[in-house]
């Protein structure tokens, strides 16, 4: 499976942006898909994850109520709808795939390329 992230860009604070991650190959129902983000010079941090089959979701406290992760099975895509964006949400966003729940980036083996999100004040 390969992951291809897209949708990043420049947005003003308070605005919205939608990221997408297209997966090539089959994703099993037990598979977990996630978004992480990384500011240059800082460690990569967990944002949100979703179980492919059941749709169960987990969010970082910093994005709860503002971000929504979803999957479109027919298109093999995981989306991250980001609303009420803040300057501190600016980062490179990465999608990832795994077979177990974890918020630690070192536990995730499959990564897509990053997509840059910049939120201006």
């Amino acid at each position: 499976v390969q992951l291809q992230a897209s949708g990043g860009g420049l947005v003003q604070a308070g605005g919205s942006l939608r990221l997408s991650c297209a997966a090539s190959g089959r994703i099993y129902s037990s598979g977990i898909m996630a978004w992480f983000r990384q500011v240059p010079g800082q460690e990569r941090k967990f944002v949100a994850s979703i179980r492919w089959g059941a749709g169960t979701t987990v969010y970082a406290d910093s994005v709860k109520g503002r971000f929504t992760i979803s999957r479109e099975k027919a298109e093999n895509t995981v989306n991250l709808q980001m609303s009420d964006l803040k300057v501190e949400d600016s980062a490179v966003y990465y999608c990832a795939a795994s077979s177990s729940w974890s918020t630690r980036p070192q536990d995730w083996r499959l990564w897509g390329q990053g997509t840059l999100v910049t939120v201006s004040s």
Side-chain angles (χ1 to χ4, degrees), residues 52-92:
W52 187 257
T56 313
T57 58
V58 177
Y59 294 93
D61 288 342
S62 59
V63 305
K64 279 181 181 177
R66 301 188 299 120
F67 290 12
T68 301
I69 188 171
S70 63
R71 83 270 193 253
E72 297 179 18
K73 290 185 175 181
E75 297 185 8
N76 245 26
T77 300
V78 174
N79 301 310
L80 186 68
Q81 179 66 46
M82 305 184 294
S83 302
D84 189 22
L85 282 161
K86 304 176 181 180
V87 172
E88 51 265 39
D89 293 319
S90 297
V92 177

Side-chain angles (χ1 to χ4, degrees), residues 6-8 17-21 35 78-80 82 93 115 117:
S6 62
L17 206 58
R18 181 182 175 91
L19 306 182
S20 292
C21 177
W35 288 94
V78 174
N79 301 310
L80 186 68
M82 305 184 294
Y93 283 71
T115 185
V117 173

